[in-house]
Amino acid sequence: MKNTFKSLAVAAAFSGAAFPASASTLERVKENGYFTCGVSQGNPGFSNPDSDGNWSGLDVDYCRAIAAAVLGDPAAVKFRPLSSPERFTALQSGEIDVLSRTTTWTMSRDTNLGANFAGVMYYDGQAMMVRKELGITSAMELAGASVCTATGTTTELNVADFFRVNNMEYEVVAFEKNDEVTQAYDAGRCDVYTTDKSGLHANRLKLTNSSEHMILPEVISKEPLGPVVRQGDDQWLNIAKWTLNVLINAEELGVTQANAADMASSDNPAVKRLLGVEGNFGGALGLDQDWAVRIISAVGNYGEIFARNVGVDTPLGIERGLNASWIDGGILYAPPVR
């Protein structure tokens, strides 16, 4: 889910133009009574609407966490579905306040687009999916394959690097929209479907016979996915950043959706700081002392969000892996509240 420089040239031109550094996103959001969160056009487990237009997913729960922290209501968020090519333009033009759309944190995006990443919500990597009937068990067996992917994304660049490094020929079959890629692969227009591994888990659910397809073991890139805000408003960046940090720290400290209010009486000083019993950490963000309690009470901690949306007991069936807390062998780690 990654845009190339060319597809984002317009977005780069907007950098800093829509909202100068003196503008306060927090004030505007409070005045409006809601904020707007950019999400995918339909990515099960991450941001996906049901038949009634109700959104769910890992990225959606992050948006609701911000709404709970800032406005006291996790429902005070409007979701704006965006394609890959248009997402940064929507952020820079002010159409959205936060981009939470399985977006990869890269150097070019961090330095050229007037955007700030608030952290890593999900550690991912690009992989490839094939039909089991092909008898292929490794990406190293894909010489001469046709590969479906989304245009205007660095997914194309990653797969080009992979085949070039391994001296293999291939044919790219690219489409603008994610569902177009899925439909083309499902119709047999290509041998391979490549995108972020989490996206393959999600889009496999849309295939006619999902059990007939397998994700190959090779991961060919690093894809740290996270929420993004505009540059020029450090207060809003801090709110976005520390909303994510609260979710991660809460899991580490054993604070859950069910016990968040009760844990305020904990003797653990780290829990007391997290929940606003000690210190004035909410005030430093322009929020009140209960901001973190509202977040966790609304959506749970990171582990609960992961399990509910993409975990082993969901249709996606994704293991925690790298996205486990550092105390459980993963690399999920947040700065402390102190």
Side-chain angles (χ1 to χ4, degrees), residues 38-235:
V39 291
S40 76
Q41 294 168 311
N43 188 16
F46 289 86
S47 51
N48 197 53
D50 63 17
S51 58
D52 295 322
N54 300 309
W55 287 85
S56 65
L58 195 77
D59 291 336
V60 166
D61 279 346
Y62 170 78
C63 299
R64 292 201 169 104
I66 291 180
V70 173
L71 299 167
D73 181 2
V77 52
K78 293 186 177 181
F79 296 104
R80 172 69 169 90
L82 299 165
S83 67
S84 293
E86 66 187 355
R87 56 185 159 175
F88 279 98
T89 306
L91 180 66
Q92 293 298 347
S93 67
E95 184 179 343
I96 59 174
D97 302 302
V98 175
L99 176 64
S100 184
R101 190 196 177 283
T102 54
T103 298
T104 302
W105 189 350
T106 68
M107 182 177 178
S108 60
R109 289 173 173 177
D110 217 19
T111 58
N112 295 338
L113 298 179
N116 278 325
F117 282 79
V120 178
M121 186 77 181
Y122 187 95
Y123 290 94
D124 209 346
Q126 187 173 327
M128 303 187 197
M129 181 164 62
V130 298
R131 293 168 180 79
K132 293 179 180 178
E133 65 182 18
L134 295 179
I136 292 172
T137 59
S138 168
M140 299 304 297
E141 303 171 42
L142 294 176
S146 55
V147 181
C148 276
T149 189
T151 190
T153 71
T154 55
T155 301
E156 290 179 281
L157 304 181
N158 290 336
V159 77
D161 286 348
F162 174 81
F163 279 91
R164 182 178 62 194
V165 166
N166 290 290
N167 297 311
M168 296 190 296
E169 297 293 328
Y170 79 106
E171 176 189 358
V172 65
V173 183
F175 300 87
E176 181 178 349
K177 296 180 179 179
N178 178 65
D179 279 348
E180 292 175 337
V181 181
T182 306
Q183 290 162 10
Y185 172 75
D186 199 24
R189 295 180 62 182
C190 53
D191 305 309
V192 182
Y193 184 175
T194 185
T195 187
D196 295 345
K197 191 172 183 179
S198 64
L200 293 179
H201 279 283
N203 290 305
R204 183 164 57 179
L205 300 177
K206 301 178 182 179
L207 300 177
T208 304
N209 296 296
S210 60
S211 63
E212 296 178 0
H213 304 264
M214 64 179 291
I215 298 172
L216 298 176
E218 289 84 0
V219 175
I220 67 172
S221 70
K222 294 187 295 184
E223 308 297 336
L225 309 178
V228 195
V229 297
R230 284 181 296 277
Q231 288 182 2
D233 190 338
D234 287 347
Q235 182 185 44

Side-chain angles (χ1 to χ4, degrees), residues 253-267:
L253 294 170
V255 183
T256 69
Q257 187 172 23
N259 70 18
D262 294 336
M263 286 289 279
S265 61
S266 170
D267 293 329

Side-chain angles (χ1 to χ4, degrees), residues 3-14:
N3 293 49
T4 61
F5 285 121
K6 184 177 180 180
S7 65
L8 292 174
V10 176
F14 277 115

